[in-house]
């Protein structure tokens, strides 16, 4: 399902979500202090474009926690709300449930991106 799922995902929701991550990453990169956060956004934009066949592992330490707190205040909540709303929309039909699950994976990632790594 990886290749077909990613192609359908890109058409029906991945493009919007990936562009959202890219926009937030560009906004963070405007400041010098925000460049590490913007680079993390660019990494996760690739996941938002093509999430099937990839998993997210969460971890990290104190530095990741501090960055996650800043992230929630300045950018994470709108991305999480977007992903959750699109996920709920997908889950209305049985066929859309796998796409909705990918949205919920991205919503969780939108709340805690630092210390997370993409596997797959």
């Amino acid at each position: 399902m990886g290749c077909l799922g990613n192609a359908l995902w890109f058409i029906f929701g991945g493009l919007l979500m990936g562009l959202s991550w890219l926009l937030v990453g560009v906004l963070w990169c405007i400041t010098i202090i925000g460049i590490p956060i913007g680079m993390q956004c660019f990494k996760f934009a690739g996941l938002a474009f093509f999430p099937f066949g990839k998993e997210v592992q969460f971890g990290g330490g104190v530095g990741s926690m501090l960055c996650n707190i800043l992230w929630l205040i300045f950018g994470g909540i709108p991305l999480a709300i977007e992903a959750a709303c699109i996920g709920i929309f997908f889950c209305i039909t049985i066929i859309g449930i796998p796409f909705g699950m990918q949205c919920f994976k991205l919503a969780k990632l939108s709340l805690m991106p630092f210390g997370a790594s993409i596997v797959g």
Side-chain angles (χ1 to χ4, degrees), residues 21 24-25 28 37-38 41 66-79 109-114:
W21 276 96
V24 172
W28 274 103
I37 298 171
C41 290
L66 294 175
C67 286
N68 280 329
I69 291 170
L70 283 174
W71 169 255
L72 277 175
I73 295 169
F74 295 111
I77 293 176
L79 285 173
L109 180 66
S110 297
L111 294 175
M112 302 178 298
F114 297 95

Side-chain angles (χ1 to χ4, degrees), residues 5-83:
N6 280 328
L8 291 173
W9 169 261
F10 186 78
I11 294 168
F12 292 114
L15 180 63
L16 174 67
M17 294 176 72
L19 289 176
S20 298
W21 276 96
L22 287 175
L23 175 67
V24 172
V26 167
L27 291 175
W28 274 103
C29 285
I30 289 173
T31 65
I32 293 174
I33 296 171
I35 290 175
I37 298 171
M39 297 305 290
Q40 190 79 346
C41 290
F42 296 146
K43 180 172 76 172
F44 292 131
L47 177 68
F49 282 130
F50 304 109
F52 284 94
K54 298 178 184 168
E55 294 296 322
V56 178
Q57 291 182 344
F58 294 95
V62 176
S64 296
M65 183 186 70
L66 294 175
C67 286
N68 280 329
I69 291 170
L70 283 174
W71 169 255
L72 277 175
I73 295 169
F74 295 111
I77 293 176
L79 285 173
I81 291 171
E82 174 194 25

